[in-house]
Amino acid sequence: GQAFTPQRLASFDPFIEEELEKLLREIAGQGEFDAIAEFATQLPLRVLCRKLGVAPSMWSTIARWTKGLRFLLEPSLLKRSDFADVHAILNDYEQYLRELIAARRGNPGDDMISEWIAAGSGDDYLTEDELIHAFMLSFIAGHETSKGLIGNGLAALIDHPEQAEILRANPHLMEGAVLEMMRWNAPLQQTKRWASERATVGGVTIEADSIVLLCLGAANRDPEQFPDPDRFDVTRKTHTQLGFGFGMHMCLGAKLAEREVAMAFRRLLASTRAIEAGTAPRSRDETEIQLRVYDRLPVRFMH
C-alpha cells in the first residue's frame, strides 16, 4: 500500500513519459502495426520493469513468464500439461526473484523492491516469499490488465471516432474517459469471492464457505447504475464502475493504471490526426473467461 500512495505514484510519471516517447518513435512510419504487441504490451511492461529495477535484458522474459502465469486466474481451464508449464515458470520466476532480492538487500537502489525490503518494522514487514508474490502479482495485475485496458480502450475509440474527437478537443476529460473505457469493456470481467456467512442475493441463497463468481462486466452494464449502459460515452460520470474492484478488494494499483492509461491516450490523440482499424482482423484468446482482452489489434496512426 505504501508503494501506491499519490506521492509515490507521481514518481512513475517520468518513466511513463520517457517510455511513451520511445514507443511512439519506434512505431512512427510503420503504417499498419499490431497495437497490442508493439504498444499496449510494451508500455506497462517497461514502466513496471524500470520501477521495480529489472534489467532490460530480462524484460521480454518477465513478460513471457507473466503471460504464462495468467492461467492461475482461470484454473478451471488448466489442462494437466498446463500445470507442468506453470510449475516450471514459477520455479524459474522464483529463482530469478530470490537472486534479485538478495542483490537489493546487499545494494539497495531507488526501485520499488528496495522500498518493499526497507518498509515496515517489527512484525510489519514482508517476508521473502511475500516479496516474491508481491512482485509476481504486480505484473499479473499491473501488466496484463493495463495492457488489456489500453487495447480495449483503443478499440473503443476506433469504433467510436466521434468520442475520440471529443477527447482530442477536451483532453481534460481523459481521466473520466479511462473509467468509461473500464466500464465499457473491463479487462477483468469476473472475480471470485468467498462467502464468510450464509446470505441471500437477488433471491438466490449463497451458503457459507461457498465460492462465488462475480461478473464485474455485467455490473458495469447495470441500467440501474448507468443510463443507456451499452453506449460508450467519454463524458459519462462513471466513478462507480467496478472494474477495479470495491472496498477492501479495491485494486491497489488502480490509480497507477488510470494515470498510465490517461497519459498514454492523451499523448496518442495529441500526436495523431486519426486512429483507424487495420486491414487485418482483431482477435481475442477465446479460451479466457475471466480476462477479456485482445491478443491482436491491427491499427494505423494517421498523422
Side-chain angles (χ1 to χ4, degrees), residues 192-213:
K192 297 170 188 168
R193 292 290 181 266
W194 169 69
S196 59
E197 59 186 43
R198 194 170 189 263
T200 300
V201 180
V204 176
T205 298
I206 300 169
E207 299 295 340
D209 294 329
S210 296
I211 299 297
V212 183
L213 193 63

Side-chain angles (χ1 to χ4, degrees), residues 2-302:
Q2 297 174 25
F4 295 102
T5 62
Q7 296 79 11
R8 295 289 179 88
L9 289 181
S11 70
F12 281 81
D13 287 1
F15 296 109
I16 297 171
E17 291 170 356
E18 289 172 21
E19 295 306 328
L20 268 173
E21 292 304 318
K22 290 179 187 176
L23 284 168
L24 290 175
R25 285 198 300 270
E26 293 168 13
I27 291 167
Q30 282 196 37
E32 183 172 319
F33 65 95
D34 179 10
I36 301 301
E38 299 188 49
F39 188 77
T41 296
Q42 295 299 320
L43 180 62
L45 172 68
R46 295 182 183 189
V47 170
L48 271 175
C49 281
R50 288 185 63 183
K51 192 62 180 171
L52 284 158
V54 177
S57 60
M58 284 296 297
W59 291 2
S60 61
T61 302
I62 293 291
R64 177 172 55 81
W65 284 342
T66 302
K67 187 172 180 63
L69 292 185
R70 81 193 188 285
F71 277 120
L72 297 177
L73 297 176
E74 309 200 49
S76 62
L77 300 177
L78 281 171
K79 301 187 294 294
R80 188 175 296 275
S81 60
D82 293 329
F83 275 106
D85 292 341
V86 170
H87 184 66
I89 290 171
L90 280 171
N91 283 340
D92 291 343
Y93 215 156
E94 285 193 15
Q95 180 179 345
Y96 166 73
L97 291 176
R98 291 191 193 282
E99 293 171 359
L100 184 62
I101 290 167
R104 290 295 180 275
R105 289 191 195 280
N107 186 23
D110 59 359
D111 55 273
M112 283 176 64
I113 289 183
S114 297
E115 292 176 7
W116 291 348
I117 291 171
S121 59
D123 293 332
D124 184 22
Y125 72 98
L126 294 177
T127 66
E128 184 167 289
D129 284 346
E130 288 170 339
L131 284 167
I132 288 169
H133 297 154
F135 185 102
M136 290 182 180
L137 284 170
S138 292
F139 274 92
I140 293 172
H143 176 243
E144 285 294 308
T145 52
S146 294
K147 175 186 78 175
L149 182 55
I150 293 172
N152 292 355
L154 193 54
L157 292 180
I158 290 170
D159 294 341
H160 302 84
E162 77 287 352
Q163 298 298 309
E165 289 309 310
I166 290 173
L167 291 176
R168 273 199 182 85
N170 302 277
H172 65 281
L173 295 176
M174 190 60 73
E175 281 74 13
V178 170
L179 294 179
E180 174 67 354
M181 293 171 188
M182 176 66 87
R183 183 199 72 81
W184 169 258
N185 194 9
L188 183 64
Q189 286 282 308
Q190 300 180 14
T191 191
K192 297 170 188 168
R193 292 290 181 266
W194 169 69
S196 59
E197 59 186 43
R198 194 170 189 263
T200 300
V201 180
V204 176
T205 298
I206 300 169
E207 299 295 340
D209 294 329
S210 296
I211 299 297
V212 183
L213 193 63
L214 306 177
C215 188
L216 303 175
N220 281 340
R221 296 289 184 104
D222 182 354
E224 293 185 13
Q225 294 292 324
F226 307 104
D228 195 7
D230 294 332
R231 177 171 54 86
F232 179 64
D233 180 3
V234 297
T235 67
R236 188 193 297 269
K237 304 301 182 185
T238 57
H239 296 288
T240 56
Q241 63 81 32
L242 296 179
F244 289 117
F246 180 76
M248 67 180 288
H249 295 290
M250 183 74 175
C251 173
L252 276 177
K255 292 301 179 183
L256 172 60
E258 291 178 37
R259 194 181 197 105
E260 187 173 58
V261 176
M263 290 173 69
F265 278 109
R266 194 177 285 116
R267 184 69 181 84
L268 278 180
L269 292 176
S271 63
T272 58
R273 174 172 51 84
I275 301 174
E276 299 180 351
T279 56
R282 303 172 184 177
S283 64
R284 285 195 181 98
D285 185 345
E286 298 298 339
T287 66
E288 293 177 337
I289 294 176
Q290 290 183 243
L291 290 175
R292 180 178 171 83
V293 299
Y294 290 99
D295 56 18
R296 179 173 170 77
L297 182 64
V299 303
R300 291 192 303 269
F301 288 171
M302 313 302 289

